[in-house]
Amino acid sequence: MNNVFRKTVLSFGIILLGVFIAVSCSKDDDPVDNDLFVGKYTGAITYISGDTNIDASSGSVEVVKIGKNYNFLFSDGIPDLTGVEFEKDGENVMINVGSDQAHYIRIDQSNLVIAFTKDNQIWTADCKR
């Protein structure tokens, strides 16, 4: 009976391992749904508001995901853009919801492009990771 118990436990273990591998390798696991875009991007950033004009050729933008929205934390004293909602735009690319000429943010795993206007403020970024 001891031998039968071992075979049963071994069979059960193999089945569990197979299920674990199948779930881990799911094709439904889209990188856009993950935190693939979170991190620090560096490059040219600018900000214009009234008499304020900040232009940093080697600035940075930290991308932070909070729930379903993203925050963009700028270096060089540039105010942050927060609560931006995104949608998929092709494979492994996201673009902000409501994108138009005044509100454009495109992000993928290696590039961040921002041309965003809000309340007479203008943010731009052309950054890479």
Side-chain angles (χ1 to χ4, degrees):
M1 184 151 189
N2 198 9
N3 197 18
V4 173
F5 178 74
R6 285 184 188 165
K7 286 183 181 181
T8 304
V9 170
L10 181 61
S11 297
F12 184 73
I14 290 172
I15 291 171
L16 280 178
L17 180 62
V19 169
F20 177 76
I21 290 172
V23 170
S24 297
C25 298
S26 171
K27 290 183 181 181
D28 294 334
D29 188 22
D30 190 340
V32 172
D33 298 329
N34 296 330
D35 294 332
L36 180 66
F37 307 112
V38 171
K40 190 173 195 173
Y41 295 77
T42 57
I45 59 174
T46 63
Y47 173 75
I48 300 169
S49 178
D51 292 336
T52 303
N53 187 351
I54 301 170
D55 188 353
S57 60
S58 59
S60 66
V61 181
E62 184 80 25
V63 179
V64 178
K65 184 176 181 185
I66 309 239
K68 292 184 178 183
N69 295 331
Y70 286 79
N71 294 340
F72 298 87
L73 313 177
F74 287 80
S75 66
D76 299 282
I78 295 176
D80 301 331
L81 280 173
T82 59
V84 181
E85 188 177 345
F86 280 84
E87 61 191 2
K88 270 174 80 170
D89 182 37
E91 192 171 324
N92 300 329
V93 175
M94 291 195 339
I95 190 165
N96 64 296
V97 172
S99 175
D100 58 27
Q101 289 181 339
H103 302 91
Y104 181 77
I105 301 175
R106 184 179 190 278
I107 189 169
D108 63 32
Q109 59 189 23
S110 59
N111 296 298
L112 171 65
V113 176
I114 298 175
F116 203 89
T117 302
K118 178 181 171 187
D119 301 329
N120 296 322
Q121 303 172 80
I122 302 169
W123 291 261
T124 68
D126 185 9
C127 299
K128 298 196 178 304
R129 182 156 54 162

